[in-house]
Amino acid sequence: MIRLEGLTRSFGDLHVLRGFDLEVATGETVAVIGRSGEGKSVLLKHVAGLLQPDSGEVWIGDEQVTGADRERVRRLRLSMGYVFQSSALFDSMTVAENVRLALRRHGTPAAEIEERARESLETVGLGGWEGRYPAELSGGMRKRAGVARAVAPRPTYLLYDEPTSGLDPVTTSMIDELVLQLKEDLRATSIVVTHDMRSACRVADRIALLREGRVSWLGTPEEIEHTDDAAVKAFVEGRRDLWPDD
Amino acid sequence: MAAVAGRTAGFAVDVLRATSEFRTWWPQLATQARRIGVDSVPIAMFIALFTGVVLALQSSYAFTGAVPLYFVGTLVGKTIILELGPVLTGLVLAGRVGANIAAEIGTMRVTEQVDALEMLAYDPLAYLAVPRVTAGLITFPIVVAFAVGMGIVAGWITSTGLLDLSSQEFVRGLRMFYRPFDLRYALIKSASFGVVVTSVGCLFGYTTSGGAEGVGRATTRAVVVACMVILVLDAFWAVVLL
C-alpha cells in the first residue's frame, strides 16, 4: 500500500502540492493525470523520497518515507522500481549493464544476474540489444530499457513517470501492454503519472486528477466516461474551453 | 560566502561518510585511477619537458658571469621539485580532470541519472565521488613524480646540449642542496591538489542544475575554483612545511 497524506510542497512562490491525499491499495494501479506543470513528477519524487515535502506524510507499506533517515529510505527503495520520464539510463553503460547494475544492488546471486538481465530485456522486447548503448537506441527503446531496469529486481512498488510521453501510438500501446503484463506478473502496487488519457484508462484501476496541487477527482476508468466534473471532461475530451480555469 | 562554505563542508562530510560503502566505490577505483592518473601522464610530461628546457636556459642567462654555471642544476632541480612540478601539473589537471568530472557528473545530474542511482538504492556519492577523489589522492603524486623526472631530464639535456655544462657539473648542482624532504614536500602538495581538483569537480557536478547551460557553468566554476584553491594551498604548504 502507498499512502500520501496532506502533502504540500512549494518552490519559492510556486505552490505545487497543496494538501495532496491519495491511497493506493496493495496490487492496485492508480494513474495520476493532470496538465503539464501541475506537479505530477514532483509528486512521484516525493513518493520515492527523492524530494521531501514541506508538510504531510508519505507511507510505503508500514514505513514512513518522510523524515526517514538515509539508510531507511535506501532500504525502502530496494522494494521500488522507478521508470523515469527521460529513461535516465546510464549512458556510459550498455543496456545490459544498466540492468545488471540494478540486480547487483538488490543482492541477486552473481550466477543469476546474467540470466535475469536477459529475461528482463526480453520481456520488454529488447532481446538482442543487450550490448547497445542508450545513445544507439530510439526513444521508445530507451523507455523500454528503463522499464527493464526498474522491474528486473521484481519490486513491490512501481512508479512510472510519463512512460508514454513523446512516443508514437504504436509504441505507446506496446508500453501500455508492458505495464499491464508487469502488473499481472509482479502484482506490484503502482502509480503511473501521465497526461495520456487513453493510456491511463488502459492501465489503471483508478484515475486521480491532480489539479491545483490536490486530487480534484478520483474514480475508475468507467466512471471517468460518465462524470460531470468539468476539469475531467475537459481533460478527457482535450477541450481547453471546458477547463475550469480558462 | 558562508552558504558556499557550509555547502562545501556538508558535501565533504557526506563524501567521507560514503567511504564506508566500500562495495560500491571499490570496483570503480581502477577505472578512475586510469582516467584521472594514467591518462594525465602525457600532458603532465609534455608541460614538464618544456618547463625544464626553459628553466635551464633562463637560469644560465641569469647566472652568466656572476654565479658558477653548475647552479643551473640546483635551480632546475629545486624549482621543478618544490614548485613548478606540482603546481603546474595541478593547474593543468584542474582543467583536464576537474572539468571532465564536473561535466560528466553534471550531465548525469540534469539527465536524472543521479536520481536513478538513488532509486537503485546506491549512494550516489559512494558511486561517483569517492572513487574519483580517492583516485586523485593516489594518482596525482605519481603523475607529478613523472613530471618532476621529465623536467629534470629536460633541464639536464638542455644544459649539456645547449649550454657549456657537463653532465657531472649539472648533477653536482642538482645534488648540492637536494634534501629527501624536497620530494616528500612535493608529493604531499600533489596529493592535496589531487583531492582538491577531484572533490571540487564532484561538488560542482553534483550540484548542477539548469540543463546544458548549467553543466557549462558548473564546469567553468569547477576549473576556476580548483585553480584558486591550488594556489592558496601552495602558499599554505610553504608556510606550514618549509
Side-chain angles (χ1 to χ4, degrees):
Chain A
M1 181 261 294
I2 299 172
R3 198 167 75 243
L4 312 172
E5 289 176 4
L7 281 191
T8 66
R9 176 65 196 249
S10 301
F11 297 94
D13 295 337
L14 186 64
H15 307 296
V16 180
L17 300 177
R18 306 178 196 181
F20 188 96
D21 297 298
L22 181 68
E23 190 166 322
V24 185
T26 303
E28 185 187 25
T29 299
V30 170
V32 178
I33 59 171
R35 295 180 68 178
S36 299
E38 281 281 5
K40 302 187 295 295
S41 298
V42 167
L43 172 74
L44 214 56
K45 287 189 173 174
H46 279 85
V47 177
L50 292 170
L51 289 175
Q52 289 295 319
D54 296 331
S55 65
E57 293 177 359
V58 176
W59 290 82
I60 301 286
D62 295 331
E63 300 227 45
Q64 191 175 346
V65 179
T66 37
D69 62 50
R70 222 187 287 249
E71 206 41 56
R72 224 169 94 205
V73 171
R74 203 174 312 150
R75 218 178 42 248
L76 271 171
R77 285 182 185 144
L78 288 171
S79 64
M80 295 184 200
Y82 196 115
V83 178
F84 286 85
Q85 185 174 359
S86 60
S87 305
L89 295 169
F90 304 114
D91 45 24
S92 59
M93 297 179 194
T94 64
V95 171
E97 284 166 349
N98 266 275
V99 179
R100 284 201 289 264
L101 188 72
L103 288 167
R104 260 199 297 278
R105 183 62 186 178
H106 286 72
T108 310
E112 283 178 33
I113 286 180
E114 201 61 42
E115 180 62 17
R116 290 266 300 273
R118 197 182 51 76
E119 250 177 45
S120 294
L121 288 167
E122 273 173 10
T123 305
V124 300
L126 286 177
W129 292 80
E130 293 89 347
R132 300 297 185 110
Y133 285 88
E136 298 172 315
L137 306 181
S138 68
M141 290 164 105
R142 278 203 290 273
K143 289 265 188 197
R144 284 186 278 149
V147 173
R149 185 178 67 184
V151 303
R154 295 172 187 157
T156 313
Y157 304 96
L158 266 167
L159 308 172
Y160 298 90
D161 190 359
E162 305 273 11
T164 58
S165 70
L167 300 180
D168 65 84
V170 176
T171 313
T172 296
S173 170
M174 197 187 291
I175 295 276
D176 287 346
E177 281 163 22
L178 191 58
V179 172
L180 285 169
Q181 186 193 330
L182 291 168
K183 182 178 167 185
E184 190 70 25
D185 294 348
L186 299 175
R187 306 229 168 265
T189 305
S190 310
I191 297 179
V192 182
V193 151
T194 183
H195 53 239
D196 181 340
M197 273 312 302
R198 273 181 63 168
S199 189
C201 288
R202 282 192 73 186
V203 303
D205 299 308
R206 286 189 300 156
I207 297 171
L209 176 68
L210 170 60
R211 188 169 150 250
E212 293 176 347
R214 53 176 72 90
V215 174
S216 76
W217 186 90
L218 181 66
T220 63
E222 292 74 35
E223 287 169 341
I224 210 167
E225 286 173 23
H226 308 294
T227 182
D228 290 331
D229 187 283
V232 176
K233 281 177 87 169
F235 211 85
V236 171
E237 294 172 24
R239 289 188 42 194
R240 189 185 152 197
D241 57 309
L242 292 181
W243 190 258
D245 293 345
D246 290 339
Chain B
M1 192 67 186
V4 173
R7 198 181 64 170
T8 308
F11 182 80
V13 169
D14 285 344
V15 172
L16 279 175
R17 181 192 42 74
T19 53
S20 62
E21 299 267 332
F22 185 77
R23 289 201 312 175
T24 300
W25 63 264
W26 177 254
Q28 317 290 323
L29 186 58
T31 308
Q32 293 306 328
R34 179 181 55 74
R35 291 176 59 187
I36 290 169
V38 178
D39 292 354
S40 295
V41 169
I43 182 71
M45 301 269 275
F46 179 82
I47 288 159
L49 168 72
F50 288 96
T51 306
V53 169
V54 170
L55 262 182
L57 293 174
Q58 285 186 346
S59 51
S60 102
Y61 168 77
F63 292 163
T64 305
V67 180
L69 208 52
Y70 60 79
F71 274 106
V72 169
T74 309
L75 194 131
V76 167
K78 281 281 184 190
T79 313
I80 291 271
I81 294 172
L82 293 178
E83 183 65 15
L84 293 184
V87 174
L88 272 185
T89 305
L91 292 174
V92 168
L93 296 197
R96 189 194 168 274
V97 173
N100 180 289
I101 291 174
E104 186 180 3
I105 298 180
T107 303
M108 289 183 74
R109 169 59 81 189
V110 299
T111 55
E112 294 185 306
Q113 291 177 57
V114 175
D115 286 343
L117 270 177
E118 289 207 50
M119 284 315 299
L120 294 179
Y122 284 95
D123 180 342
L125 290 177
Y127 194 88
L128 299 171
V130 176
R132 284 168 172 81
V133 176
T134 310
L137 172 72
I138 296 168
T139 62
F140 264 49
I142 298 170
V143 175
V144 167
F146 274 105
V148 165
M150 172 55 87
I152 291 173
V153 168
W156 165 61
I157 291 172
T158 306
S159 301
T160 55
L162 299 178
L163 306 174
D164 190 17
L165 195 67
S166 68
S167 287
Q168 288 80 3
E169 284 176 308
F170 181 86
V171 172
R172 179 185 169 200
L174 188 64
R175 296 177 64 174
M176 189 168 277
F177 293 102
Y178 173 77
R179 288 185 302 160
F181 171 76
D182 293 353
L183 207 52
R184 281 208 302 279
Y185 175 76
L187 297 180
I188 289 168
K189 272 211 305 199
S190 311
S192 69
F193 295 166
V195 171
V196 164
V197 167
T198 49
S199 51
V200 166
C202 288
L203 169 66
F204 282 94
Y206 198 74
T207 52
T208 297
S209 60
E213 193 186 338
V215 174
R217 210 167 32 239
T219 306
T220 307
R221 280 185 189 161
V223 174
V224 171
V225 170
C227 288
M228 288 166 70
V229 178
I230 282 175
L231 294 175
V232 171
L233 260 184
D234 188 35
F236 169 80
W237 287 125
V239 170
V240 171
L241 294 178
L242 294 183

